[in-house]
Amino acid sequence: MEFEPLGIGNDVIEFDMIGLGVGDDTIDIEHTVKEGENKQLIDPSDGFVNSRNYGEVHFADGDMNLEPYEGMEFESEEAAKAFYNSYARRVGFSTRVSMSRRSKRDGAIIQRSFVCAKEGFRVDKEKPAGCDGGGGVRVKRPRAETRVGCKAMLMVKIQDSGRWVVSGFVKEHNHELVEPDKVHCLRSHRHVSGPAKSLIGTLQGAGIGPSGIMSALIKEYGGISNVGFTERDCRNYMRSSKQRTLGGDPQTLLDYLKQKHLENPSFFYAVQGDEDHCMSNIFWADPKARSNFAYFGDTVTFDTTYRSNRYRLPFAPFTGINHHGQPVLFGCALLINESEASFSWLFRTWLTAMCWKPPVSITTDHDRVIRLAVSQVFPETRHRFCKWHIFKECQEKLSHVLSEYINFEAEFHKCVSLMDSIEEFEAYWFTLIDKYDLGENEWLQAIYADRKKWVPVYLRGTFFAEMSITHSSDSMNSYFDGYVNASTTLQQFIKLYEKAVESRYEKEVKADYDTMQIAPVLKTPSPMEKQAAGIYTRKLFMKFQEELVETLTFLATKVDDKESTTIFQVAKFGESHKSYLIHYNVREIKASCSCQMFEFSGLLCRHILTVFRVTNILTLPQCYVLKRWTRNAKSGVMLEEQTSNLSNSCQESCTVRYNNLHREALKYVDEGAKDEERYKVAMDALREAANKVAIAKKTDVGVTSFSGPCIGESATQESHVNNPFEAHQLSGDPSRAVDEKDKIIQKLMRKLERARRKCELYRANLLTILKDIEQQKLQLTVKVQSIKLGMKD
C-alpha cells in the first residue's frame, strides 16, 4: 500500500484558473492556487464574512437579500471576495477565485474574478492529449465531474483611490442551486471556525477519532448544518494540526526508516494507513532493540508522556530495564492518530516485531483508550498504570484541595506508597477521604475503582524489575531525557534519536566494564556476599549487599513449625510491631515473604535473607538468582538453545542424585506415617522400589565385572568377538555358542558404556569451551568500547 504524506487532503476548497486574453495594461494571468496544489481551508471568521461594512456599501444585519451590482465598492479585494462568498452561501452555490491581472508598472494585482465553482469545464490532465476515453492512463481514484460551464461571476478592479469596484456581475446559473440545509457541504462554505478548532484539539488530545469528534460537534452546535463543515474537513484539519505540531512532514521519518531497512533487513518498521490511504501511525524497532527484548522483555513500559503537553512530538517509546538497572529500548512509535484502534494496531505490530512473545507486565499512562487496547492485545499480561502519572493528575484534579490543605499531598503519597498490606491501604484511604470530606469527588472515586492497577500493595506479586516497591523514579522512563524536549521537531528528532541510542549503548558498555574490572568492597564475611559479588552486575550487587547487611539488624522468630514448612516472623530490633511473615520450606530451601520483594523485583529481601542466616544457608540457592540480573545476562542465550540437549544428557553428579532421592523418599515417609493405610501403601511401594534397585544393581555388576579389551587393542582380536556367526563356526557345542553370544553382548555393552561416558565428557568440555568463548567475546567488546571512549575523551 502506498501512503501519501500527511497534510491537507484532496477534499478541501481549491481555486482554479481560466485563461483570459492579455490586455495592454496587464502582464500576466495568475493562478491563485493551482488544482491539487497548496490546498487550504479558509476560515471566514478570519476575514470579512461577518462584517456588515464593505467599503461604501452599508446594510443592516437583517438585510440578507443584498445582491452585488456594477459600481459596488469595497475597501479591499478580500472584502469583495468575502462578500461574494457570503452572497453565494445565501443563494446556494460555491465560489472560487478564477483569475487575476497584474500591472506592468509595479506587478500589483489590479483585477480579480470570482466565479461559481461550476464555471468552465475540467481539463482531463490524467490522459495524454489526443487519446480517446479508452486509451488514457488509468486513474486510481477518479474525481467526480463538477463543472458544467456556469457563467455566474463577479469581477472587481482597483481604482486610483485604492478601493475595489465591481466591474462585472453575472447572476444567472445554468444548474440547480443548493438548499439552505445543505449549503454546509459546498466547498467554499466548509470552514473550521476558531471555537470548533479549539474543541477538536481538546477531543483529539483525549484520543477521540474524527467520527466521535463530529458527533460531539453536531450535538454541541445543534445539527450538522450549524457545524459548518463535514467529517472529511474535520479529518483534514486534524492531520494538518498534527503536522504543525510535528514541525515537519512524517514522510521524512518514513524515508529514514526505509533506508535503515535496506541497510539491515532486521530493522523492523510498519506504517498504519487509514481509510483514505494516508499515513497514520508509524512503528519501528532496530535490531538491537529486538535483541534487547530477548534478554529483558519480561517487563515493558509504554511511555506516552508527550500527551501531557510535555513534548510537541507525538512520540512513544517501548522500553525496559537491563541487567544494570538502565533503561533499554524495545521500539518506538510516532502516533498521529490516537484512537483505540490505533493503539491496538500499534501493540499488535510491536508484538509481531518481538516474535509474538508477550511481556509478563506492562506499565502505561492512566488512559482509558490505552487500557482498552492493552486488554485486547495483552490479555495475559499484568497491566499497571504509572503511579507518578496519577500523582501528577492529582495535582490537577485536586488543586483546590492541595491549596487549602497543605498536608493532604503528603498523606496521599503515604497512603499509596507506604502501606504494607491491602487492609492497611483500605483503612488509610477511607480515613483520608473522610478527614478531607472528599467522598463525592469523582476523580478519587475513579482511581479507587482502578486501585488494583496502580497501588503498589496490589501489584507486589508481579515482576516489574523495580528495586523498591515504595520508591521509583519520578517518571516511567527516562530513555530520551536530555534529547527530546518541548521544542523538538520531527527533523531534529531523527538525529537526536540516533544520538540517544548510541549514548545509552555506551553507558551500558561502561557499566559492563565497571562490573568486570572494578571489584566491589565486601562488608561482611558471608560466603553469600562473596558469591553474589561474582554473579550480579555491580549495581545489582550493591542493592543485594544493602539487603544482606540489613539482616544484621533483624531478628527471626519461629512461630509455627509444620510438616514441610516453617513460619518465621521477622522484624527489626525494637520494631516488633512491624513484622513480616516468611514461609520457609527446609527441604527445598525455598521461602516466600509477605513483602513479596522477590516477586516484584527479582532480588531477595532482607527478611528472607535473615531466615537464611539463622538457618545456616550460606550461599544463594540457584532458584533465587535471576539470570536477567547477572553479569552474563546477555551472553549464552543462543548458546543455551543450541546446547540444551547436550546439557540435559549429561550425567548428574552423585551429590545431586543423592539429594533428589533423599527428597523424594522423605515425601513417602511424611505421608506414610500419617495413618495405618498410608503406611502399608508406602511400605509396599518402598519394598517394590528396593527390589527393582537390587535387580538393576545385579545387572550393572554382571556387565561391569567382565574385563574386556581396552580401546588400544588390535583389530584382529576384536574381529573375533564382533562376528557371532564366526564364533559359532569355531565351536561345535551349541551351549558353548550361547555362552559365546552372551560374552559378545556383554563386551559390546561395556564398549557402549565407555563410549557414552566419553561422549558426555566431550560434551561437557565443549560446553565449557563455548561458555569461555562467550565470556571472552564479552570482554573484548568491553575493551573495544573502552578504547573508543578513551579516544573520545
Side-chain angles (χ1 to χ4, degrees):
M1 179 183 292
E2 300 238 347
F3 296 95
E4 303 172 3
L6 293 182
I8 303 302
N10 294 331
D11 304 299
V12 295
I13 185 169
E14 50 181 51
F15 302 101
D16 293 286
M17 179 62 200
I18 58 173
L20 295 176
V22 179
D24 295 336
D25 58 341
T26 61
I27 58 172
D28 71 346
I29 299 175
E30 175 189 46
H31 286 65
T32 302
V33 179
K34 295 181 181 179
E35 185 176 22
E37 297 179 3
N38 196 26
K39 300 165 187 163
Q40 56 183 337
L41 286 171
I42 298 195
D43 187 351
S45 63
D46 298 333
F48 304 88
V49 171
N50 296 325
S51 173
R52 286 291 177 256
N53 186 343
Y54 299 94
E56 296 184 358
V57 179
H58 302 275
F59 55 92
D61 287 345
D63 187 359
M64 303 301 292
N65 299 317
L66 182 64
E67 292 183 353
Y69 57 87
E70 292 189 19
M72 179 183 287
E73 293 187 355
F74 299 92
E75 292 181 352
S76 67
E77 171 201 344
E78 290 295 327
K81 179 176 68 175
F83 171 78
Y84 189 60
N85 198 56
S86 179
Y87 162 76
R89 182 180 180 88
R90 296 197 304 271
V91 174
F93 67 96
S94 181
T95 66
R96 71 172 190 271
V97 179
S98 176
M99 57 77 66
S100 65
R101 285 185 176 181
R102 292 181 182 271
S103 171
K104 286 183 178 180
R105 292 187 297 273
D106 56 9
I109 295 175
I110 61 174
Q111 182 175 306
R112 285 283 197 194
S113 289
F114 310 107
V115 299
C116 173
K118 293 181 178 291
E119 180 270 344
F121 296 94
R122 178 194 296 172
V123 177
D124 196 347
K125 300 177 181 178
E126 279 76 16
K127 293 188 291 186
C131 290
D132 57 13
V137 179
R138 183 176 180 271
V139 181
K140 290 183 178 180
R141 298 175 61 197
R143 300 181 62 189
E145 186 69 52
T146 59
R147 301 188 184 180
V148 295
C150 181
K151 300 295 184 180
M153 54 85 70
L154 179 73
M155 182 180 293
V156 294
K157 63 171 60 176
I158 193 169
Q159 296 177 312
D160 293 338
S161 63
R163 294 176 181 273
W164 290 73
V165 63
V166 176
S167 59
F169 171 61
V170 178
K171 177 181 178 181
E172 292 74 18
H173 297 262
N174 67 348
H175 55 87
E176 292 184 5
L177 299 178
V178 176
E179 297 176 0
D181 61 340
K182 299 181 178 61
V183 169
H184 68 280
C185 296
L186 296 172
R187 289 191 175 186
S188 68
H189 308 309
R190 281 156 40 187
H191 311 300
V192 183
S193 64
K197 290 177 181 178
S198 177
L199 183 56
I200 290 173
T202 300
L203 297 176
Q204 185 179 9
I208 301 176
S211 299
I213 290 177
M214 280 304 296
S215 298
L217 288 168
I218 291 170
K219 185 176 181 181
E220 176 70 18
Y221 288 94
I224 183 64
S225 60
N226 296 330
V227 173
F229 53 88
T230 65
E231 182 177 329
R232 194 173 290 271
D233 298 320
C234 176
R235 191 182 304 276
N236 289 338
Y237 172 76
M238 290 171 67
R239 291 200 190 105
S240 62
S241 174
K242 184 67 73 176
Q243 183 169 329
R244 288 192 298 272
T245 300
L246 292 175
D249 189 346
Q251 186 66 38
T252 304
L253 175 62
L254 188 57
D255 292 340
Y256 167 80
L257 299 178
K258 288 179 179 178
Q259 182 60 35
K260 285 292 184 181
H261 178 70
L262 288 174
E263 294 172 0
N264 188 341
S266 296
F267 188 102
F268 181 99
Y269 79 98
V271 181
Q272 182 188 25
D274 61 16
E275 60 269 30
D276 294 328
H277 304 288
C278 291
M279 189 162 58
S280 181
N281 298 316
I282 307 173
F283 169 78
W284 71 95
D286 60 31
K288 185 164 184 60
R290 301 176 75 183
S291 65
N292 282 338
F293 184 80
Y295 302 118
F296 310 113
D298 39 22
T299 183
V300 175
T301 293
F302 179 59
D303 183 11
T304 52
T305 50
Y306 75 91
R307 301 174 87 233
S308 61
N309 296 325
R310 182 178 177 185
Y311 306 124
R312 290 176 61 193
L313 284 170
F315 167 69
F318 292 85
T319 61
I321 301 294
N322 70 4
H323 53 322
H324 299 292
Q326 301 168 330
V328 289
L329 195 62
F330 296 150
C332 299
L334 186 71
L335 299 173
I336 310 300
N337 185 338
E338 300 166 25
S339 64
E340 179 187 341
S342 292
F343 281 115
S344 296
W345 171 87
L346 176 61
F347 291 151
R348 289 191 181 95
T349 303
W350 175 79
L351 202 56
T352 301
M354 302 301 129
C355 301
W356 290 97
K357 180 184 176 183
V360 174
S361 60
I362 185 170
T363 303
T364 72
D365 278 352
H366 182 217
D367 183 279
R368 180 188 63 84
V369 177
I370 295 177
R371 176 180 185 171
L372 293 173
V374 169
S375 64
Q376 290 179 8
V377 183
F378 305 110
E380 303 299 325
T381 298
R382 185 68 184 273
H383 182 201
R384 176 181 69 165
F385 296 136
C386 176
K387 178 179 65 175
W388 295 103
H389 182 259
I390 291 181
F391 284 161
K392 289 179 181 178
E393 279 189 353
C394 175
Q395 294 174 351
E396 175 187 347
K397 303 292 185 180
L398 302 179
S399 57
H400 61 290
V401 179
L402 298 178
S403 60
E404 185 176 356
Y405 304 104
I406 60 174
N407 294 327
F408 175 80
E409 187 171 13
E411 292 186 55
F412 182 72
H413 277 258
K414 179 181 178 182
C415 175
V416 172
S417 301
L418 300 182
M419 298 297 104
D420 290 325
S421 67
I422 293 175
E423 293 74 18
E424 287 184 24
F425 165 77
E426 297 278 354
Y428 200 109
W429 177 274
F430 288 110
T431 300
L432 199 64
I433 296 298
D434 293 340
K435 179 179 179 180
Y436 294 100
D437 193 22
L438 297 171
E440 301 300 321
N441 187 278
E442 293 183 0
W443 181 78
L444 284 173
Q445 291 176 359
I447 64 170
Y448 177 76
D450 289 335
R451 62 193 182 279
K452 294 182 180 179
K453 287 189 175 291
W454 66 278
V455 178
V457 291
Y458 292 96
L459 298 163
R460 291 178 177 177
T462 304
F463 182 77
F464 284 97
E466 289 183 8
M467 294 302 96
S468 173
I469 293 175
T470 58
H471 299 89
S472 59
S473 60
D474 191 35
S475 65
M476 290 191 300
N477 159 36
S478 57
Y479 191 90
F480 288 93
D481 277 4
Y483 297 93
V484 177
N485 56 47
S487 61
T488 302
T489 64
L490 187 59
Q491 285 78 5
Q492 294 170 335
F493 170 73
I494 293 174
K495 294 181 180 179
L496 295 173
Y497 162 80
E498 290 186 337
K499 287 184 178 180
V501 171
E502 182 181 356
S503 175
R504 290 294 178 184
Y505 178 65
E506 289 180 354
K507 289 180 179 179
E508 181 178 327
V509 170
K510 181 64 166 59
D512 284 336
Y513 175 83
D514 290 343
T515 295
M516 297 179 64
Q517 300 298 327
I518 303 175
V521 177
L522 303 183
K523 297 182 178 180
T524 72
S526 168
M528 187 179 291
E529 184 183 13
K530 183 177 181 180
Q531 174 198 14
I535 294 175
Y536 290 125
T537 61
R538 182 175 176 82
K539 182 173 181 179
L540 269 293
F541 169 72
M542 292 173 66
K543 179 60 185 175
F544 175 82
Q545 186 183 56
E546 177 186 335
E547 296 294 315
L548 186 65
V549 171
E550 281 295 317
T551 63
L552 301 177
T553 65
F554 275 76
L555 178 66
T557 306
K558 188 183 296 186
V559 295
D560 193 6
D561 194 359
K562 297 182 179 179
E563 299 171 358
S564 59
T565 303
T566 303
I567 300 177
F568 289 88
Q569 187 174 19
V570 177
K572 201 169 186 177
F573 286 107
E575 297 182 6
S576 57
H577 62 283
K578 190 175 183 179
S579 61
Y580 300 85
L581 290 179
I582 287 83
H583 290 71
Y584 177 51
N585 187 313
V586 181
R587 299 189 186 93
E588 298 182 2
I589 316 180
K590 290 185 178 180
S592 62
C593 179
S594 58
C595 80
Q596 294 184 297
M597 177 176 164
F598 180 77
E599 290 80 0
F600 188 78
S601 67
L603 281 178
L604 281 177
C605 63
R606 59 196 63 180
H607 317 121
I608 291 179
L609 292 175
T610 299
V611 172
F612 283 173
R613 176 173 56 81
V614 300
T615 55
N616 295 320
I617 302 300
L618 301 181
T619 58
L620 273 173
Q622 191 61 36
C623 61
Y624 291 111
V625 179
L626 267 64
K627 184 175 181 180
R628 64 138 23 251
W629 291 134
T630 67
R631 49 178 70 196
N632 294 324
K634 296 182 70 174
S635 66
V637 172
M638 297 302 295
L639 176 66
E640 286 179 357
E641 294 176 356
Q642 295 169 355
T643 60
S644 59
N645 293 331
L646 295 179
S647 60
N648 289 337
S649 65
C650 291
Q651 190 176 20
E652 293 180 312
S653 67
C654 181
T655 304
V656 173
R657 293 197 299 269
Y658 176 84
N659 289 337
N660 290 340
L661 289 171
H662 185 264
R663 183 170 60 251
E664 291 300 316
L666 284 176
K667 291 181 180 179
Y668 281 98
V669 174
D670 291 338
E671 292 297 323
K674 290 182 178 180
D675 55 52
E676 188 66 26
E677 184 177 354
R678 294 186 193 180
Y679 171 77
K680 291 180 179 179
V681 173
M683 284 298 295
D684 291 341
L686 288 173
R687 286 168 181 163
E688 183 180 355
N691 291 333
K692 290 182 179 180
V693 170
I695 294 172
K697 182 178 179 181
K698 290 181 179 179
T699 303
D700 289 341
V701 170
V703 172
T704 58
S705 61
F706 291 94
S707 57
C710 297
I711 295 178
E713 288 185 345
S714 66
T716 305
Q717 290 174 314
E718 289 188 10
S719 65
H720 294 290
V721 297
N722 285 335
N723 192 341
F725 178 76
E726 184 179 350
H728 178 71
Q729 292 286 340
L730 293 175
S731 173
D733 187 358
S735 61
R736 185 178 176 184
V738 174
D739 292 340
E740 289 294 332
K741 289 181 180 179
D742 289 340
K743 289 180 180 180
I744 291 170
I745 292 172
Q746 291 168 1
K747 199 168 187 178
L748 289 173
M749 291 180 65
R750 290 196 300 271
K751 291 179 65 177
L752 180 63
E753 179 66 18
R754 286 196 298 272
R756 186 184 67 81
R757 290 177 181 174
K758 287 191 175 184
C759 286
E760 291 173 355
L761 180 61
Y762 293 152
R763 288 168 180 168
N765 291 338
L766 177 60
L767 183 62
T768 302
I769 292 170
L770 290 174
K771 288 185 176 180
D772 289 341
I773 292 173
E774 287 289 328
Q775 189 69 18
Q776 290 174 10
K777 284 172 60 179
L778 179 62
Q779 292 174 353
L780 287 173
T781 302
V782 171
K783 289 180 180 178
V784 170
Q785 292 300 323
S786 299
I787 292 171
K788 288 182 178 180
L789 292 173
M791 293 175 66
K792 289 185 178 181
D793 295 339

